[in-house]
Amino acid sequence: MDNLTKRATDVLSDADVVVGYSTYIDLIAPLIAGKEIISTGMTREVARVEAAIEQALAGKSCAIVSSGDSGIYAMAGLVFETCEIKAVTVVAPGSKKELPEDSEVLTVEVVPGIPALCSGAALLGAPLTHDFATISLSDLLTPWERIEQRIEAAAGSDFVIVLYNPKSKKRTWQLERARQILLKHRDKNTPVGIVSRAMRDKQNVEIVTLETMHTTDVDMQTTVFIGSSTSSRYLEFMYTPRGYTRKYDIK
Amino acid sequence: MDNLTKRATDVLSDADVVVGYSTYIDLIAPLIAGKEIISTGMTREVARVEAAIEQALAGKSCAIVSSGDSGIYAMAGLVFETCEIKAVTVVAPGSKKELPEDSEVLTVEVVPGIPALCSGAALLGAPLTHDFATISLSDLLTPWERIEQRIEAAAGSDFVIVLYNPKSKKRTWQLERARQILLKHRDKNTPVGIVSRAMRDKQNVEIVTLETMHTTDVDMQTTVFIGSSTSSRYLEFMYTPRGYTRKYDIK
């Protein structure tokens, strides 16, 4: 919880109801003792968001929790999508918009957090100090062809690449397929950082190369960082320099 | 300062010396009162990092501050690069590596923070809940051809695109050039979010389209978010749905 912001802590403390996947609710248990909790399993995101909207429309202050940042591959998008479908009017905190009196209105604040791409990068060193592309390998809601096209495009234009959802119990081949595409564009010695459960229990951090990378310890709580042509490994760390042409002069 | 994490606050509080660009030092003045400060102007990054390393080698606990997250287009990479060039051995906190006794050794902890891509996204709604590419338009250290190639690649494979350093006093044409490239690949009504000084004084948030986007209020403290083909605007917000195929069912 060292990586929660003050704003996140304050919002949780002020909430009447806290809604979230049970694993994440457990992580913040000490902060939300005594509050009403709506907690459901992994695949029940829509039900969770609908429950949260219902509570908020009933006048309760309601916090939906995700791991990392709720705006990066997480629940925030679904809140707006669901409100739009249900024709619930949403406004930002402090909004000066004039509202029709008879409409249902919710004030929605998205509280930014530390996403896995930041916590993982910090544990690896500094792989993301230059341009990067973030790609989820989950083909549950996105066609694989589209994902593969993005890997090709990012690999071909020398982005550092952050892979979310690299592997699950049911999706086991995607990361190896991504590696094959990357090897067409990048040197086999390109550094690859593999971070699981960053800054949580059972954290694991490993730096390998595109050639030696394996998927043994990779799961849904893992983020994989593929270096660009300029990324390098120094001792226990992986970093990407700021510039292609070195205009600065270190002695 | 509501968006600092507890860890960042603790590290600042424990530091003997705080090093940073003067604007950022001013932002955290209340947290570092009475400490030794090494503060230099905008283009003196190398000098700042060298000063910090010198202080740390002299045995002082030294914090280098960036705005946002120090690992996203910020100072963390330069720390490792400088240590490598100077042959200073660096280890992670709690490292179990055996070290040669006579070498200069620094323990380096990168503390993750809330980067502009997260704070900006939160103010806009939820533009980054699916794949995105982050590109700096500064061609001071990267050739423009490389930047343009990345914009083409990201635009052509339907990434949401986050543009850092879109414009400065001296670099005025890059954002308009990027817009022209984007218009080759994306509908002119694609939502574009423009966020300046997110969660700081004089914050400004605007949602326009690729067609109506202008660069009047854009500067080095602005981050620009270009929607993908599925991003949409709802009232005061911009969001990207999770999936291409809607497998979930909202009533």
Side-chain angles (χ1 to χ4, degrees):
Chain A
M1 300 208 281
D2 267 9
N3 290 294
L4 279 183
T5 64
K6 181 172 181 307
R7 183 66 194 148
T9 311
D10 288 351
V11 164
L12 286 171
S13 152
D14 291 346
D16 302 313
V17 186
V18 180
V19 180
Y21 173 43
S22 37
T23 305
Y24 306 145
I25 291 287
D26 293 347
L27 285 173
I28 53 166
L31 290 180
I32 55 175
K35 291 186 188 291
E36 187 179 339
I37 308 289
I38 300 178
S39 160
T40 58
M42 193 70 197
T43 56
R44 305 273 300 150
E45 290 96 339
V46 172
R48 283 207 295 280
V49 167
E50 289 183 328
I53 291 171
E54 206 170 291
Q55 295 283 327
L57 286 173
K60 292 184 188 167
S61 169
C62 186
I64 304 178
V65 297
S66 299
S67 67
D69 180 296
S70 65
I72 308 285
Y73 295 109
M75 301 288 283
L78 195 56
V79 171
F80 295 106
E81 189 170 6
T82 307
C83 285
E84 184 166 16
I85 292 170
K86 290 176 178 288
V88 172
T89 299
V90 285
V91 296
S95 170
K96 282 163 194 129
K97 265 239 155 108
E98 285 204 19
L99 296 168
E101 275 196 18
D102 57 346
S103 69
E104 295 191 302
V105 179
L106 292 185
T107 300
V108 179
E109 175 183 359
V110 180
V111 179
I114 309 280
L117 68 95
C118 291
S119 53
L123 290 170
L124 289 167
L128 303 183
T129 43
H130 211 299
D131 302 339
F132 62 94
T134 306
I135 304 170
S136 165
L137 295 190
S138 170
D139 54 354
L140 296 179
L141 297 174
T142 303
W144 178 255
E145 298 66 39
R146 166 63 73 189
I147 297 171
E148 202 160 292
Q149 186 196 4
R150 286 184 178 150
I151 300 169
E152 283 276 4
S157 48
D158 207 25
F159 281 98
V160 176
I161 300 174
V162 184
L163 300 174
Y164 270 70
N165 306 319
K167 189 181 162 193
S168 72
K169 276 179 195 154
K170 286 185 186 165
R171 292 184 306 96
T172 55
W173 54 267
Q174 284 84 351
L175 183 56
E176 175 56 23
R177 175 76 192 123
R179 189 176 82 97
Q180 294 301 335
I181 298 170
L182 289 159
L183 277 168
K184 289 194 297 175
H185 299 274
R186 304 253 162 115
D187 191 275
K188 63 181 172 28
N189 294 315
T190 300
V192 173
I194 302 177
V195 182
S196 301
R197 291 164 297 280
M199 302 181 183
R200 301 223 297 257
D201 272 358
K202 300 184 187 161
Q203 166 184 300
N204 194 49
V205 181
E206 208 177 345
I207 300 176
V208 294
T209 66
L210 260 188
E211 185 177 33
T212 62
M213 159 184 184
H214 55 87
T215 67
T216 320
D217 296 328
V218 172
D219 61 27
M220 283 296 279
Q221 297 187 58
T222 304
T223 314
V224 178
F225 297 74
I226 315 286
S228 72
S229 69
T230 65
S231 302
S232 67
R233 181 177 182 156
Y234 177 53
L235 304 171
E236 301 179 80
F237 298 99
M238 168 179 174
Y239 75 91
T240 305
R242 297 186 303 164
Y244 276 69
T245 49
R246 209 173 255 168
K247 290 208 178 158
Y248 41 99
D249 187 28
I250 302 168
K251 280 147 210 151
Chain B
M1 300 206 284
D2 268 9
N3 289 293
L4 278 184
T5 64
K6 182 173 180 303
R7 182 66 194 148
T9 311
D10 288 351
V11 164
L12 286 171
S13 152
D14 291 347
D16 301 313
V17 187
V18 180
V19 180
Y21 173 43
S22 38
T23 305
Y24 306 145
I25 291 288
D26 292 347
L27 285 173
I28 54 166
L31 290 179
I32 55 175
K35 291 185 188 292
E36 188 177 340
I37 308 289
I38 300 178
S39 161
T40 59
M42 193 69 196
T43 55
R44 305 273 299 148
E45 292 97 339
V46 172
R48 282 207 296 281
V49 167
E50 288 182 329
I53 291 171
E54 207 170 292
Q55 294 283 327
L57 286 173
K60 291 184 188 167
S61 169
C62 185
I64 303 176
V65 297
S66 300
S67 68
D69 181 298
S70 65
I72 309 285
Y73 295 110
M75 301 288 281
L78 195 57
V79 172
F80 294 105
E81 190 171 5
T82 308
C83 286
E84 183 166 16
I85 291 169
K86 290 176 177 287
V88 172
T89 299
V90 285
V91 296
S95 170
K96 283 164 193 127
K97 264 236 157 110
E98 285 205 18
L99 296 168
E101 275 195 18
D102 57 346
S103 69
E104 294 191 304
V105 179
L106 291 185
T107 301
V108 179
E109 175 182 358
V110 180
V111 179
I114 309 279
L117 69 95
C118 291
S119 53
L123 291 169
L124 290 168
L128 303 183
T129 43
H130 211 300
D131 300 340
F132 62 96
T134 306
I135 304 171
S136 166
L137 295 190
S138 170
D139 54 354
L140 296 180
L141 296 174
T142 304
W144 178 255
E145 299 66 39
R146 165 63 73 189
I147 297 171
E148 201 160 288
Q149 186 195 4
R150 285 183 178 152
I151 299 169
E152 284 276 4
S157 49
D158 206 26
F159 281 97
V160 176
I161 300 175
V162 185
L163 300 174
Y164 270 69
N165 307 317
K167 189 181 163 193
S168 72
K169 276 178 196 156
K170 288 185 185 166
R171 294 185 304 97
T172 55
W173 55 267
Q174 285 84 350
L175 183 56
E176 175 55 24
R177 175 74 193 123
R179 189 177 81 98
Q180 295 301 335
I181 298 170
L182 289 159
L183 277 168
K184 290 195 295 175
H185 298 276
R186 303 253 162 115
D187 190 275
K188 63 181 170 34
N189 294 315
T190 301
V192 173
I194 301 178
V195 183
S196 300
R197 291 164 297 280
M199 301 180 182
R200 301 223 295 255
D201 271 358
K202 300 182 187 161
Q203 166 182 301
N204 194 50
V205 181
E206 208 178 343
I207 300 177
V208 294
T209 67
L210 260 188
E211 186 176 34
T212 63
M213 161 183 183
H214 55 88
T215 68
T216 320
D217 296 328
V218 172
D219 62 26
M220 282 297 279
Q221 297 187 58
T222 305
T223 314
V224 178
F225 297 74
I226 315 287
S228 72
S229 68
T230 64
S231 301
S232 67
R233 182 179 180 153
Y234 177 52
L235 304 170
E236 299 179 81
F237 299 98
M238 168 179 173
Y239 74 90
T240 304
R242 297 187 301 165
Y244 277 69
T245 48
R246 207 171 258 168
K247 290 210 176 157
Y248 42 99
D249 186 29
I250 302 168
K251 281 147 210 150

